[in-house]
Amino acid sequence: MRNIRMAISYDGTTYHGFQTQPIGNTVQDVLEHAIGVLTGEKADITASGRTDAGVHARRQYFNFYTSSPIPVDRWALALNSRLPDDIVVLQADEMPSQFHSSYSAKRKTYRYGIDTSKFGDVFERKYRLHYPMPLLLEEMKEAIAHVRGTHDFSSFASKRSTKTTHVRTILDARIEASDGKLDIFITGNGFLYNMVRIIVGTLLWVGEGKLTAADFKRILEARERSAAGPTAMAHGLMLWEVEYEE
Amino acid sequence: MRNIRMAISYDGTTYHGFQTQPIGNTVQDVLEHAIGVLTGEKADITASGRTDAGVHARRQYFNFYTSSPIPVDRWALALNSRLPDDIVVLQADEMPSQFHSSYSAKRKTYRYGIDTSKFGDVFERKYRLHYPMPLLLEEMKEAIAHVRGTHDFSSFASKRSTKTTHVRTILDARIEASDGKLDIFITGNGFLYNMVRIIVGTLLWVGEGKLTAADFKRILEARERSAAGPTAMAHGLMLWEVEYEE
């Protein structure tokens, strides 16, 4: 069996998330159906991780095993002609048999996009949270610096998290600001359920002056979800990049 | 009566253009309905110009007369709460009674967006023409320079144009290229029906090497629609800015 890895991009607006759900209409369902039609085999894909309903991916990866002889450079075009226009295959590679999209991933980066303009940019309305408030950018930058490093992120994990440990390492966390837009980038070796969205929800309280950067640090150290701010809306979140050792 | 001018932004994807049509579902219909609900008066708006079905506006202007006493700084918020999320009022101003959104406009700029990446940026798919071809950028730049100045643009006007003269003045025309994207900006004192889209369709033939920049110049001079290339698709076109004398 060949082990095929694909890089994809998707607009999550109309999907119930990446992973197959009883309710249907997930990115995984659509991809597995298209691969099945192309290969004549039942496809069973494994992604680098799930994304929630409404969350987007600039670059997500998945892999699957197949007996199909289709050359690797033909997969993207062949699948794109069978996919809806909100899911795009960017690249396909044949990997060693032990490659696993999730376990082999070294680092992931998420971007959370915020539009602080008064009435919102109509062309980015599905990809950024509209938050028309003056925000204290320097205080937010000071706060986000506290998430860098290895910490127990229980304060920033959904109560529905089932992980045995909430310790994760954040390699980079930064805010880029330009002309009514904020981009919050967080890179780590792994993320807890809703972690980026809760960090952003809490950072927005810092931005509004409801919390200080020192409060943010105390919230992280409290290891208690109830200490933190709200979960920011899904549509501002985008899986930006997944890095593998080549 | 007060003369209110508004700046708006809209995603034209789902509309049958700006101007009211028998078929319905136009940007004008939606705006006039929302203004009517707000003021209790039948609204009759005049735009800087129509945009075709599927064409977007980053910044379009319209004006209308009203007896409503609503302060000018309240209009945008009041209307935005009554408008669908693909139409956004950016600003409202009270103008002298003789101000007219179309006749008072000095210059208009359109942008035509092209995505030359292999499989297309999923997040810009509704705002850029996906044209995954290697394009001869320098030849295109040489060609577009020929439209600057005052010319008879009959070669770049739809056969359905009903204007008595096809002479227009193009003040600026340029191409900006970055990372798989091309932005073609054209600024003029007025445009003929489909003019920007036909110029772009012809420029793309230059980009592909089907025509040279010298051919493009000969096409302009031919004053005959059949000499030019195809009309580029609507969704890449965006009314970028309208300038008035203040």
Side-chain angles (χ1 to χ4, degrees), chain B residues 186-208:
Chain B
I186 303 184
T187 302
N189 68 348
F191 291 87
L192 302 168
Y193 189 51
N194 282 352
M195 180 169 154
V196 176
R197 291 167 59 189
I198 300 169
I199 290 174
V200 170
T202 310
L203 277 176
L204 286 169
W205 278 6
V206 173
E208 287 188 69

Side-chain angles (χ1 to χ4, degrees), chain A residues 158-173:
Chain A
S158 165
K159 295 246 181 224
R160 288 154 64 200
S161 167
T162 55
K163 302 286 177 175
T164 50
T165 172
H166 286 170
V167 175
R168 294 291 183 277
T169 298
I170 295 302
L171 301 152
D172 192 24

